[in-house]
Amino acid sequence: MKKIYLLLVRLARLAFGAKKAQYQVAYFMSFAGNETFIRELVKQFGSDEVLIVYKTNVKENVLQLQQGHIIKHAIEFKKFQVTSFVKGIKLARVTLFDNYYPELSAINKTKKDYFIQMWHANGAIKAFGWEDPSTYHRSVEDQQRFQRVYDSFDQIVVGSEKMADVFQRSWHVASDKIDRIGYPRTDKYFEESWIEKARKKIQTKLPELTQKRVILYAPTYRKDVSFSLPDDWRKIKVPQDAVLIVRLHPHLANVERQIVDASPDRVIMVDHFISTQELLCVADTLITDYSSIAFDFSLLDNARSVIFFTYDLEEFERTVGIQASFKAAFLNQMVNTVEQLNDAILFGNSDKNVIHKLNQQWNTLNDGHSSARLIKQVKERCTDE
């Protein structure tokens, strides 16, 4: 099936031939949260020069951008709809991606094609690419296909030397492909107006949180793996002056409800019309496991503590893998039982050592101006052509 699908991608590429670019930039969107960058793209290039090629899971976010008259041109890339994918690439001078797209292994790049990988995470705790344990159990043909995707990128944008090292190891790419200009998705965490708007939105919609200490539990999404908490989760203790918000991936909304129903008092869920990024702006404590959300949270002035609740560490390492350097740096901050988690919640409220370490290692190039730097490079590339 994969061979047939990728053959169709190649044929679609040939069918479009040397079609002239109609847009300066195409942005391939599979994750929400980078709308600030998209707005800046449109501001700098004009709405007629920017094309959004989006996956169905972010359709609502794209509709909001369209309704707000931010973007004019968008193509939905549904599963196996190869013409949409190829069309997006052929119609733009520069193409930006926020994820791994297997279709790129079947795209024979020309000199006119220029691909930039922006990724969807500011740092890495989970292993991926060649550091994913499952990669070495795949066929040589699969491994070669993976590498063709990695090699297709002309630039890979990062927010730290630490993340540059991760990409070099995980994707086997040369250092000169790494674009050390900061991570555009973090710019909003330096923007006081955006932060204040997020806080006012929550205060208006959820005034009961105003006088509470907000603890946010946001574990990573486990693709193709069912999510379940440890048996002793019912023993979680939320302080009287606090509320613990459970926020899972949108695909796990039903599980989110089940967790809250099986939890003691002061454990709640919040409707997803308030984004996870907005919730970060009012939380003083983040509980996560292997999610890159920790790197984003550490940039906010309200961040007081990050707790890594890694009750399934051994199993996760075996099936998904985590970055060895991250484990070495933060092993002492990982808690494995609900009893340990309760202690961390109670006594770790003012401990900013983890926050400092996260920023020191993973946010060194992020300063709120990464989007401007990247857009400047894209402009130069378009002008050179």
Side-chain angles (χ1 to χ4, degrees), residues 1-10 79-80 82 141-142 145:
M1 178 62 78
K2 289 178 183 175
K3 288 183 179 180
I4 295 173
Y5 177 62
L6 293 176
L7 176 61
L8 291 174
V9 174
R10 292 190 188 94
K79 193 172 184 180
F80 303 130
V82 297
E141 186 178 13
D142 283 344
R145 176 166 51 82

Side-chain angles (χ1 to χ4, degrees), residues 21-32:
Q22 296 179 22
Y23 306 97
Q24 298 283 1
V25 185
Y27 181 93
F28 278 66
M29 181 178 177
S30 64
F31 281 84

Side-chain angles (χ1 to χ4, degrees), residues 13-46:
R13 172 75 171 189
L14 291 172
F16 275 95
K19 196 172 181 69
K20 187 177 180 181
Q22 296 179 22
Y23 306 97
Q24 298 283 1
V25 185
Y27 181 93
F28 278 66
M29 181 178 177
S30 64
F31 281 84
N34 212 12
E35 289 80 4
T36 300
F37 175 76
I38 292 172
R39 287 187 177 90
E40 192 60 29
L41 263 184
V42 173
K43 181 180 177 182
Q44 295 297 322
F45 286 96

Side-chain angles (χ1 to χ4, degrees), residues 209-323:
L209 298 185
T210 305
Q211 302 302 319
K212 294 284 187 179
R213 173 190 169 196
V214 176
I215 304 166
L216 177 63
Y217 177 41
T220 194
Y221 176 55
R222 292 155 168 80
K223 186 179 180 182
D224 301 325
V225 178
S226 60
F227 178 77
S228 59
L229 285 167
D231 294 337
D232 59 348
W233 173 256
R234 290 176 179 271
K235 297 178 181 178
I236 185 78
K237 295 178 181 178
V238 182
Q240 290 283 344
D241 65 341
V243 61
L244 189 153
I245 299 173
V246 177
R247 172 54 61 93
L248 305 185
H249 189 277
H251 292 170
L252 300 176
N254 291 337
V255 179
E256 196 170 272
R257 178 77 268 171
Q258 292 169 14
I259 290 173
V260 172
D261 289 344
S263 301
D265 293 341
R266 296 182 293 281
V267 176
I268 67 170
M269 60 185 292
V270 171
D271 194 289
H272 282 246
F273 72 81
I274 294 178
S275 71
T276 304
Q277 290 73 31
E278 289 169 331
L279 287 174
L280 291 178
C281 297
V282 298
D284 81 353
T285 299
L286 172 68
I287 303 170
T288 188
D289 45 17
Y290 319 103
S291 172
S292 63
I293 194 173
F295 307 116
D296 295 341
F297 181 60
S298 65
L299 290 168
L300 290 162
D301 60 8
N302 52 282
R304 294 290 177 269
S305 178
V306 174
I307 302 168
F308 297 104
F309 183 38
T310 54
Y311 58 90
D312 61 345
L313 178 61
E314 186 176 330
E315 175 69 10
F316 198 89
E317 279 192 288
R318 184 181 65 80
T319 57
V320 180
I322 67 170
Q323 299 290 330

